[in-house]
Amino acid sequence: METMEYKEIKPFTRKLWLSSPTMHGDEQKFVQEAFDTNWVSTVGENLNQLEKEICRRVGCQYAVALSSGTAALHMAVKLAGIRPGDRVFCSDMTFDATVNPVAYEKGEQIFIDSERDTWNMDPDALERAFDLYPDVRAVIIANLYGTPAKLDQISQICRKHHAILIEDAAESLGATYKHIQTGTFGDYNVISLNGNKIVTASSGGMLLTDDKAAADKVRKWSTQSRENAPWYQHEELGYNYRMSNIIGGIGRGQLLHLEEHIAQKKAIYMRYKEGLKGLPVTMNPYQPDSMEPNFWLSCLLIDSEAMCRQVRSEKDVLYVSEPGKSCPTEILETLAKYNAEGRPIWKPMHLQPIYRMNPFVAVNGDVGADIFERGLCLPSDNKMTAGEQDVVIEIVHRCFK
């Protein structure tokens, strides 16, 4: 990268987003097909083909297209049989949509700390949690920022304790663990097609499973649990969770470009990794011998000794700039000044006011809190040019001057 040390950096005229939708034109063709055939409701060929194509690409038997990844997680929690008072082991450092569906069913989340190799659920902490709470029969694992968790260890622990595994692959579509696609390791699995994901349908999500009865159950639940009768017959609680055929058309067109998007995201990650060499930072980690992320978001972690003083309250933050040091807040504020969007790392669930009284299990200190304190997400939009990314890299360098 050519040095910009003595050059003035001007704000980007076109905002650099964290991760925004990238449309190609195929999406509009399938949406138009829905209009032309008048299938603009929650049934139609776009939904049928989207579900079939996801099954083919991911390697599962059944997919059910729903209104959001959160809806799919809710359906997975119901399939797991969670009832009021039941406890569920959950990834701690994740978006709250991963864990909220447990509360929908009036269960209680027990949060499992992260490990440093992937920033995902620590298998040792999960094993410890089963020692402390042997009656728990469900686990929700999230693959953070497109990087797979240690899914074989997590799966083995769940089988050992006869627990249902729900894999939240909302951020990791297209990523593989030991050459197997994420979204297939759980009894029930979830992907997201939200606007900022690796491929999008503008909204929406899907439940993936190899259990036909489970898929059929979700199709019923998600369409208000209507019974097979000549009139509207309802014998159990239902939901309005089915995806629209129009939205399915967007997802169908986007899916044609999944590999292209992954390659672009990987190039962004590798360019950051090379460009930030020499700084006291590391990129969000993965284990290349066993996993291939989809590189959805590129993140960095500042070395402890290179952190300037930073104090966070619930909604505000203060820091003191120091020569040779920086902190996530300083970098994010500087990026914003130049019209580039970054974001803090997910605040761990056990630190959230809504879940602060829930149990939390860790074996190596509070890893998630430490990553949250020192980490941030960099602009990772696949429409960002190499030149624009070089400027972002230079901005980060200057924060440590």
Side-chain angles (χ1 to χ4, degrees):
M1 184 188 73
E2 182 182 349
T3 180
M4 303 178 189
E5 187 171 354
Y6 300 106
K7 294 181 181 179
E8 179 187 2
I9 298 177
K10 295 182 179 180
F12 296 104
T13 55
R14 176 180 68 98
K15 183 166 184 173
L16 296 191
W17 296 100
L18 181 75
S19 182
S20 68
T22 300
M23 298 290 108
H24 299 272
D26 301 289
E27 305 87 353
Q28 191 168 1
K29 178 183 71 174
F30 291 122
V31 169
Q32 188 62 49
E33 179 182 303
F35 278 92
D36 291 343
T37 58
N38 206 36
W39 289 104
V40 296
S41 186
T42 54
V43 290
E45 193 63 15
N46 283 333
L47 291 180
N48 297 339
Q49 292 303 319
L50 178 61
E51 290 175 346
K52 287 179 182 178
E53 187 62 17
I54 283 287
C55 287
R56 186 187 71 80
R57 287 173 178 260
V58 172
C60 62
Q61 294 296 312
Y62 305 99
V64 185
L66 300 169
S67 57
S68 67
T70 308
L73 281 160
H74 186 196
M75 296 292 89
V77 167
K78 283 184 67 68
L79 287 170
I82 302 306
R83 292 178 172 81
D86 287 351
R87 287 168 159 172
V88 179
F89 295 143
C90 299
S91 289
D92 181 53
M93 196 164 69
T94 183
F95 184 44
D96 69 343
T98 300
V99 306
N100 283 346
V102 176
Y104 299 166
E105 296 301 310
K106 300 186 177 358
E108 181 185 27
Q109 304 90 339
I110 297 176
F111 299 114
I112 311 300
D113 197 14
S114 302
E115 42 85 13
R116 296 195 183 275
D117 292 341
T118 68
W119 293 1
N120 287 304
M121 182 186 286
D122 185 346
D124 293 335
L126 178 61
E127 190 66 81
R128 175 61 176 152
F130 274 112
D131 291 340
L132 295 170
Y133 304 95
D135 294 334
V136 171
R137 289 293 174 265
V139 176
I140 302 177
I141 170 80
N143 299 317
L144 191 71
Y145 299 133
T147 299
K150 294 176 179 175
L151 291 164
D152 56 351
Q153 295 180 52
I154 300 291
S155 299
Q156 289 167 11
I157 293 168
C158 289
R159 287 194 296 270
K160 174 183 173 182
H161 294 279
H162 309 288
I164 291 171
L165 177 59
I166 297 171
E167 185 191 355
D168 179 1
E171 301 174 3
S172 67
L173 177 62
T176 59
Y177 183 81
K178 295 186 175 178
H179 307 292
I180 300 172
Q181 291 277 328
T182 62
T184 61
F185 286 86
D187 299 276
Y188 314 118
N189 311 279
V190 170
I191 61 172
S192 172
L193 298 172
N194 189 40
N196 63 0
K197 295 300 188 291
I198 193 83
V199 295
T200 181
S202 76
S203 61
M206 302 183 83
L207 182 128
L208 314 179
T209 183
D210 289 335
D211 184 340
K212 183 178 185 301
D216 290 343
K217 197 73 171 174
V218 170
R219 291 184 194 280
K220 180 183 177 183
W221 283 340
S222 64
T223 50
Q224 298 292 14
S225 292
R226 182 182 176 185
E227 300 293 333
N228 185 17
W231 44 80
Y232 288 94
Q233 179 87 355
H234 305 278
E235 298 173 5
E236 57 184 325
L237 188 63
Y239 305 86
N240 184 18
Y241 278 172
R242 195 71 161 114
M243 181 185 285
S244 158
N245 193 49
I246 296 173
I247 290 173
I250 301 174
R252 190 179 170 189
Q254 279 275 292
L255 201 57
L256 298 173
H257 300 274
L258 174 59
E259 287 78 10
E260 174 188 348
H261 290 185
I262 292 173
Q264 292 165 342
K265 294 280 192 173
K266 183 174 183 178
I268 289 168
Y269 179 96
M270 293 303 175
R271 192 175 188 88
Y272 275 131
K273 188 173 183 179
E274 180 64 26
L276 296 173
K277 279 183 178 178
L279 291 182
V281 303
T282 54
M283 298 294 293
N284 45 323
Y286 67 99
Q287 298 184 302
D289 59 332
S290 61
M291 60 184 62
E292 179 70 10
N294 69 4
F295 300 95
W296 175 52
L297 292 186
S298 293
C299 308
L300 66 78
L301 187 69
I302 301 170
D303 294 351
S304 298
E305 60 273 16
M307 279 282 291
C308 65
R309 285 172 289 175
Q310 173 185 260
V311 179
R312 285 167 164 160
S313 68
E314 291 299 345
K315 297 181 181 179
D316 297 304
V317 60
L318 294 173
Y319 68 91
V320 177
S321 187
E322 300 177 51
K325 298 183 178 183
S326 192
C327 63
T329 305
E330 182 176 34
I331 295 172
L332 291 171
E333 287 184 355
T334 306
L335 287 171
K337 184 174 72 173
Y338 290 101
N339 203 26
E341 182 187 30
R343 185 174 292 173
I345 297 294
W346 295 127
K347 184 175 182 178
M349 289 296 103
H350 80 278
L351 298 179
Q352 298 287 354
I354 188 174
Y355 292 128
R356 191 168 290 150
M357 299 306 293
N358 289 51
F360 170 64
V361 180
V363 294
N364 292 305
D366 194 334
V367 173
D370 180 54
I371 295 171
F372 170 61
E373 176 71 14
R374 298 191 284 123
L376 67 133
C377 305
L378 294 161
S380 304
D381 195 84
N382 59 349
K383 295 177 291 303
M384 176 173 58
T385 67
E388 289 171 333
Q389 189 177 356
D390 284 345
V391 174
V392 172
I393 291 169
E394 177 63 21
I395 291 170
V396 175
H397 273 268
R398 293 188 184 190
C399 287
F400 286 91
K401 298 291 187 185

